[in-house]
Amino acid sequence: MESKLSVNHLLGIKDLNASDIELIFTTADNFKEVINRPIKKVPSLRDITISNLFFESSTRTRLSFELAEKRLSADVINFSASGSSVSKGETLIDTVNNILAMKVDMVVMRHPNPGAAVFLSKHIKARIVNAGDGTNEHPTQALLDAYSIREKFGKVKGKKVVIVGDIMHSRVALSNIFCLQKLGAEIMVCGPTTLMPKYISQLGVKVEHNLKKALEWCDIANMLRIQLERQDIRYFPSLREYIMLYGVNKQLLDSLSKRITIMHPGPINRGVEITSDVADSAQSIILEQVENGVAVRMAVLYLLAGAKN
Ligand code: CP
């Protein structure tokens, strides 16, 4: 197996090959063992400074990256757009170059604009990790999702995964599709026609609009949040109707002919895409996903820090 990634930045899963993903997973296996020790820290990135730039809200990704960096002994500086000089008109490149002038080696960035991470990688001299760029990609979420499937089932290849909900506005859906395909899973998307992107048939996934049929088909259902903040028009008549057609409750889960696994990238809208008794059930691996996020992000940062130009 390769010992180095084929990329210098993590901008999207689209740029990775299956060997890169396997390398991230085997590296994450080692770090998962580390973070379950009484002393959870290793000196791997002791001389590295990492800046976390968050131009959009985040709980899981921001905290998980910060913890991953600290577990690797990196120096960490955090930036959020609110309260910064971005509100005074400073551009993205000026903001980042000023941060880099303080001798920063790596940048983790979440930004509302698709392509922001790619743009940055072309204009600044630092490793870039995309922590979510608008509706484009969320590569570390897809990696931790696939890693959690591998942990639960022993492999990803051949597993049937349905991604349910707002596919059109979801960077998690796109990155998951790329990642799971590279690892040999079968993928279905399920949701209302209005929330399916026009290019969906070109992605090589099955499309199903009937939730019960989709759940009967799958081993794993990855439930997405309706991204009201990215919707400029109404894509379905009412939230009540959406819940009736695309929400998973315990009664529906128990009516299936097999026991499926429930995933969710968070944040959950309890009572919309899933009810609390589903989110908190023994079939849910939502908190395992969050736990695995730290080990997977440690692996990504560690491998990118060692990448050659
Ligand atoms: N899954 C995810 O990206 O969550 P946050 O928006 O809280 O980071």
Side-chain angles (χ1 to χ4, degrees):
M1 187 190 281
E2 295 293 329
S3 59
K4 287 199 182 305
L5 295 176
S6 66
V7 292
N8 288 328
H9 308 280
L10 180 58
L11 304 174
I13 299 289
K14 208 168 41 187
D15 307 325
L16 301 182
N17 57 45
S19 301
D20 290 325
I21 298 171
E22 292 297 346
L23 176 59
I24 292 168
F25 287 179
T26 51
T27 309
D29 289 340
N30 294 328
F31 287 131
K32 185 145 185 192
E33 190 265 315
V34 166
I35 60 180
N36 281 296
R37 287 182 199 160
I39 296 169
K40 301 173 172 58
K41 227 169 155 150
V42 284
S44 313
L45 297 190
R46 203 171 43 199
D47 298 323
I48 301 283
T49 304
I50 304 177
S51 180
N52 300 314
L53 309 185
F54 279 74
F55 292 86
E56 199 186 63
S57 308
S58 170
T59 299
R60 277 146 293 273
T61 312
R62 188 170 57 84
L63 294 179
S64 176
F65 266 113
E66 187 175 343
L67 197 56
E69 291 152 4
K70 288 179 171 168
R71 298 273 192 250
L72 291 166
S73 306
D75 291 320
V76 180
I77 52 172
N78 291 316
F79 166 96
S80 57
S82 60
S84 76
S85 292
V86 169
S87 60
K88 299 175 195 165
E90 192 166 43
T91 65
L92 176 61
I93 292 177
D94 280 342
T95 300
V96 178
N97 272 330
N98 275 269
I99 292 168
L100 295 187
M102 301 176 209
K103 308 295 175 210
V104 166
D105 305 293
M106 297 177 81
V107 171
V108 173
M109 184 174 76
R110 169 166 290 190
H111 200 282
N113 294 347
V118 173
F119 174 76
L120 203 60
S121 71
K122 291 188 173 145
H123 290 91
I124 66 156
K125 286 191 174 56
R127 306 266 184 245
I128 310 293
V129 182
N130 180 4
D133 61 331
T135 54
N136 181 36
E137 281 225 38
H138 192 348
T140 56
Q141 181 68 45
L143 289 167
L144 74 89
D145 289 344
Y147 184 85
S148 301
I149 293 172
R150 170 182 174 269
E151 183 178 70
K152 167 96 187 163
F153 294 94
K155 61 177 184 172
V156 177
K157 193 174 168 60
K159 289 290 139 205
K160 293 179 174 172
V161 183
V162 63
I163 306 171
V164 181
D166 185 357
I167 310 297
M168 185 156 69
H169 298 98
S170 175
R171 56 194 174 209
V172 173
L174 199 56
S175 286
N176 259 270
I177 289 169
F178 292 146
C179 189
L180 293 169
Q181 277 176 338
K182 285 173 201 261
L183 296 175
E186 284 186 63
I187 305 150
M188 177 184 280
V189 290
C190 177
T193 311
T194 50
L195 289 175
M196 288 291 163
K198 283 204 174 71
Y199 57 80
I200 194 71
S201 58
Q202 292 160 28
L203 293 179
V205 298
K206 297 179 200 308
V207 180
E208 173 61 68
H209 299 292
N210 182 300
L211 178 63
K212 177 100 193 242
K213 283 187 187 164
L215 297 178
E216 285 289 3
W217 173 84
C218 74
D219 302 306
I220 301 128
N222 196 350
M223 306 300 299
L224 303 177
R225 181 175 66 88
I226 292 289
Q227 304 209 9
L228 292 172
E229 75 276 21
R230 297 193 205 282
Q231 298 184 9
D232 44 2
I233 59 165
R234 288 169 71 100
Y235 288 88
F236 43 85
S238 70
L239 209 51
R240 196 155 159 250
E241 182 165 321
Y242 180 84
I243 294 166
M244 274 171 57
L245 293 174
Y246 293 104
V248 174
N249 56 39
K250 198 71 173 54
Q251 196 185 2
L252 176 57
L253 205 56
D254 290 344
S255 74
L256 302 176
S257 56
K258 62 180 174 182
R259 193 178 159 87
I260 65 165
T261 294
I262 298 290
M263 299 176 68
H264 195 304
I268 300 172
N269 280 325
R270 287 177 181 258
V272 181
E273 61 272 8
I274 48 175
T275 51
S276 283
D277 51 7
V278 171
D280 303 331
S281 73
Q283 283 167 259
S284 156
I285 58 165
I286 295 170
L287 291 179
E288 284 88 338
Q289 291 172 257
V290 178
E291 180 185 341
N292 288 334
V294 178
V296 166
R297 289 180 172 118
M298 285 173 80
V300 166
L301 294 166
Y302 172 79
L303 290 166
L304 283 179
K308 290 262 182 297
N309 279 318

